[in-house]
Amino acid sequence: MHIDASIHRICAFARHQGWSAESFGRAAAVPPSTVRDVLRQEGNPTATTLRAMEAVIPHDFMTDPIALAASDLCAPILGKPRGKRRK
């Protein structure tokens, strides 16, 4: 598994489908907060998480890494900025 390619493919599929972190999480049985981190390209998802998310993507969806990288679909999906933590 190539991690960056997998994350880009996941982001592209979520954007293509118009899925939120919640809807992707339901489909992949992954917590929405974890999906949100993957879609923002933050954190360090486990191989199990990436495999679960990849499992809901059709096998023929954007399999060419060069085409995927050139598309604007693989940009991080940014949500609301996280609030500042109170001390």
Side-chain angles (χ1 to χ4, degrees):
M1 170 190 297
H2 188 271
I3 295 169
D4 290 335
S6 181
I7 291 172
H8 287 165
R9 192 165 175 262
I10 289 166
C11 290
F13 185 72
R15 188 180 303 271
H16 181 263
Q17 294 296 108
W19 280 3
S20 65
E22 289 76 17
S23 55
F24 207 133
R26 276 191 301 275
V30 173
S33 60
T34 302
V35 174
R36 212 170 284 112
D37 286 346
V38 172
L39 297 180
R40 290 178 180 160
Q41 297 180 21
E42 297 176 351
N44 189 14
T46 65
T48 302
T49 296
L50 294 177
R51 284 188 190 107
M53 294 178 76
E54 281 270 7
V56 301
I57 302 173
H59 291 293
D60 61 349
F61 179 81
M62 297 196 87
T63 56
D64 179 6
I66 295 172
L68 180 60
S71 80
D72 62 343
L73 291 174
C74 68
I77 299 173
L78 303 177
K80 295 179 183 176
R82 293 183 181 176
K84 293 183 180 179
R85 293 185 180 174
R86 294 182 184 186
K87 291 186 177 185

